[in-house]
Amino acid sequence: MDTNYSVAIHEAGHTVVGLLCDRDLYYVSIVPDEEDGTLGRVHSKLPTPPDAVEKYTDSGHYESPTTMSTDGKTITLADGREFPFTMGESEWTVEQEALEAVVLQSIRDWATQAYVLPTLAGAMAEQRVTGVWNAEGAVSDMLSVGESIEEFFGRDDKRLVAQFDDEDTRNYGPVVERARERWGDDVNELLDRGWSWIEAVAQALMRPRTAGISWGTLTGDEAKLLQPPNLT
């Protein structure tokens, strides 16, 4: 298996699923970054959040209605209810307890679309062509959104909270596995729907080097032009 092709499919998986989830793509690249060691990169903008997300998670405009105990072990919500607070959590994590179910579901639906599905799509697309789950690559992806997954979903599912390993670093491996269990079918449905588009993006990223044409990178507009006409 050509390494460039597996990387291209990986990044194309992120790209197309992101576009199907209403992310706005700036560019996708399979040009290695010597500084951080990554083999590819997708730069895109998150889909527009619903009002609930802006109200409850935008720290620039939101004043928390909670107070923390002097010993840092509990948080008291505005309605007087107390909940334990542990290292690694945010006040928002605890405040989920106070939200109406329909509001919390709206927030989590947005988080799934904005973060989880496009992130998992890279390694899951790559596995389709290599037959191997790239655990290292998947963990790298999840590191970039791990804290968001913990914040949005970790209070209800402790398996979506990274644990510290023997070297006192956060281990996201189990989080990745649980995320695959929880959202894998949704990702596969999007991969099936957009596979011809994914292959077209991957092939375009691997086009022969030509003078005057940037190799290994597509702009958002270039990637969108490759969308099959029958794909909605």
Side-chain angles (χ1 to χ4, degrees), residues 21-221:
C21 287
D22 297 325
R23 280 197 177 206
D24 187 16
L25 178 69
Y26 297 127
Y27 70 84
V28 52
S29 175
I30 59 170
V31 178
D33 189 316
E34 295 182 359
E35 291 187 8
D36 61 19
T38 56
L39 300 179
R41 183 181 304 276
V42 174
H43 184 39
S44 60
K45 181 182 178 181
L46 297 177
T48 302
D51 290 342
V53 177
E54 290 283 4
K55 180 177 180 180
Y56 290 104
T57 66
D58 187 344
S59 60
H61 301 86
Y62 174 53
E63 292 185 7
S64 172
T66 64
T67 55
M68 185 180 295
S69 62
T70 55
D71 60 7
K73 293 183 178 181
T74 60
I75 280 183
T76 303
L77 301 182
D79 61 8
R81 287 180 294 165
E82 291 187 353
F83 292 92
F85 179 79
T86 60
M87 290 298 295
E89 287 190 321
S90 68
E91 293 186 20
W92 148 250
T93 308
V94 180
E95 287 160 21
Q96 293 176 55
E97 302 283 357
L99 299 182
E100 294 181 4
V102 65
V103 174
L104 182 56
Q105 188 59 52
S106 173
I107 294 172
R108 287 178 172 165
D109 287 346
W110 175 83
T112 299
Q113 176 177 311
Y115 296 108
V116 182
L117 302 184
T119 302
L120 284 174
M124 290 181 67
E126 181 182 349
Q127 186 178 20
R128 289 190 173 201
V129 299
T130 65
V132 177
W133 174 252
N134 183 354
E136 182 178 352
V139 171
S140 297
D141 286 338
M142 294 298 283
L143 282 173
S144 66
V145 295
E147 291 183 358
S148 296
I149 288 179
E150 289 178 341
E151 282 199 334
F152 287 110
F153 304 100
R155 195 160 184 85
D156 290 340
D157 188 343
K158 297 303 181 185
R159 290 176 295 176
L160 292 173
V161 176
Q163 303 300 313
F164 288 91
D165 59 23
D166 293 338
E167 297 179 355
D168 204 30
T169 57
R170 297 173 74 82
N171 178 13
Y172 280 95
V175 175
V176 174
E177 291 305 310
R178 175 55 181 153
R180 290 175 67 197
E181 293 172 10
R182 180 163 176 173
W183 291 289
D185 289 346
D186 295 328
V187 175
N188 277 320
E189 182 178 341
L190 289 166
L191 291 176
D192 289 340
R193 180 178 157 200
W195 191 252
S196 60
W197 192 5
I198 291 170
E199 290 183 315
V201 170
Q203 291 295 340
L205 287 168
M206 295 179 62
R207 62 194 172 194
R209 298 173 187 267
T210 304
I213 297 179
S214 177
W215 178 84
T217 299
L218 294 175
T219 66
D221 288 341

